[in-house]
Amino acid sequence: MATLLNHPLNEAAPTSPAKENVVEIRGLKKAFNGFEVLKNINVDLKRGENLVVLGKSGQGKSVTIKCIVGLLKKDEGSVKVFDEEVSDLNDEELKQLRTRIGFLFQNSALYDSMTVRENLSFPLTRVLKLKDETEINSRIEEVLEGVGLLDAIDKMPSDLSGGMRKRIGLARTLIMKPEIMLYDEPTTGLDPITSKEISQLILEMQKKYKTSSIIITHDMPCAQITADRIVVMNDGEYIAEGTYKELETSDNELVKAFFN
């Protein structure tokens, strides 16, 4: 049964003792130029689950995940990742935390002047400081095989389709072996067939790498394919939580709008 969160207090839903929370957010508020984008966010991400944040464009869905990795600073509340308050971390500690978190941007953020191989080796040599060419090439080939693009290893990003660039962006993130994956509108700009392929790939990567993921989207087929649990965002707050099937039968008009 879907849970309608107490609006406007937006109380946190009870957490299951069976699974550890890798992210815990309580009372998160964030404003820009006096406009309150996040009003009172409470949410947990459990180890091994795919959590979809569903909401219309311009609702501030991406602001939450940027607070999780410290790209944005909270105004109020608590953001804990692996039991550590993100705002308490110094620069070196924050850098270490980010090595455990993968962030797939909307545009894939590939380096246009580098081949696929060079794009994937970059975080290994610059962040992890790996020097063994055999290990580097082995890890590159492993992730490329995982996303079905081993034959693109020496291509330039300009030679790839939008869907292929998304896959390479995902491979570059997974090569760091993150424990948490953050997907920011992973199917934006893709045709329906490619969007479905990317959504299914997200599901496959969850099973293969045992990642815990937050997927920001307003793409309902993506939500249906990937979500273990969904929270619905409206006007800076989470107003409902449940599985896709539970929310599909919700009586809340704001929730029903996404499924009609």
Side-chain angles (χ1 to χ4, degrees), residues 73-249:
K73 297 193 177 198
K74 68 184 183 183
D75 293 336
E76 294 182 36
S78 171
V79 179
K80 288 186 178 181
V81 182
F82 303 121
D83 289 326
E84 293 190 280
E85 184 67 45
V86 174
S87 61
D88 291 343
L89 303 179
N90 60 36
D91 289 345
E92 184 58 34
E93 291 168 337
L94 190 56
K95 185 191 297 185
Q96 289 301 314
L97 176 67
R98 287 172 177 166
T99 65
R100 303 173 69 184
I101 301 174
F103 200 130
L104 185 64
F105 295 92
Q106 289 186 33
N107 62 2
S108 302
L110 299 176
Y111 297 111
D112 293 336
S113 60
M114 295 182 180
T115 65
V116 168
R117 185 194 300 272
E118 291 167 338
N119 263 282
L120 270 60
S121 68
F122 188 85
L124 296 179
T125 57
R126 295 298 183 89
V127 180
L128 296 186
K129 309 296 184 185
L130 297 185
K131 298 184 184 300
D132 187 324
E133 289 296 327
T134 301
E135 181 182 358
I136 291 170
N137 286 325
S138 175
R139 288 179 68 161
I140 290 172
E141 290 173 7
E142 178 188 351
V143 292
L144 283 178
E145 189 171 0
V147 300
L149 283 178
L150 184 56
D151 58 351
I153 191 168
D154 291 315
K155 291 185 177 181
M156 302 297 291
S158 58
D159 297 326
L160 307 175
S161 67
M164 292 170 75
R165 285 194 294 272
K166 289 277 189 182
R167 286 174 179 266
I168 297 301
L170 178 56
R172 192 178 65 177
T173 303
L174 290 171
I175 205 167
M176 297 290 289
K177 299 183 178 179
E179 297 168 61
I180 295 173
M181 279 293 299
L182 305 175
Y183 297 92
D184 190 7
E185 301 283 5
T187 59
T188 292
L190 302 178
D191 62 83
I193 293 174
T194 306
S195 294
K196 184 176 181 181
E197 290 174 349
I198 294 297
S199 299
Q200 290 172 332
L201 184 60
I202 290 172
L203 203 58
E204 290 169 16
M205 295 303 98
Q206 175 200 23
K207 293 174 182 175
K208 182 175 181 178
Y209 294 99
K210 311 299 182 187
T211 54
S212 311
S213 303
I214 296 178
I215 302 156
I216 304 293
T217 191
H218 58 270
D219 179 0
M220 295 307 294
C222 176
Q224 185 174 19
I225 291 170
T226 62
D228 294 312
R229 186 165 53 100
I230 298 174
V231 289
V232 180
M233 188 173 196
N234 184 73
D235 194 25
E237 299 178 281
Y238 294 154
I239 60 167
E241 179 227 15
T243 65
Y244 187 95
K245 287 186 177 180
E246 289 169 345
L247 293 174
E248 194 175 25
T249 58

Side-chain angles (χ1 to χ4, degrees), residues 46-93:
K46 302 180 187 306
R47 185 172 294 280
E49 81 165 336
N50 277 351
L51 174 69
V52 165
V53 178
L54 187 64
K56 295 183 293 185
S57 297
Q59 288 282 318
K61 301 186 301 297
S62 300
V63 175
T64 305
I65 58 175
K66 288 179 180 177
C67 289
I68 289 172
V69 292
L71 291 175
L72 290 174
K73 297 193 177 198
K74 68 184 183 183
D75 293 336
E76 294 182 36
S78 171
V79 179
K80 288 186 178 181
V81 182
F82 303 121
D83 289 326
E84 293 190 280
E85 184 67 45
V86 174
S87 61
D88 291 343
L89 303 179
N90 60 36
D91 289 345
E92 184 58 34
E93 291 168 337

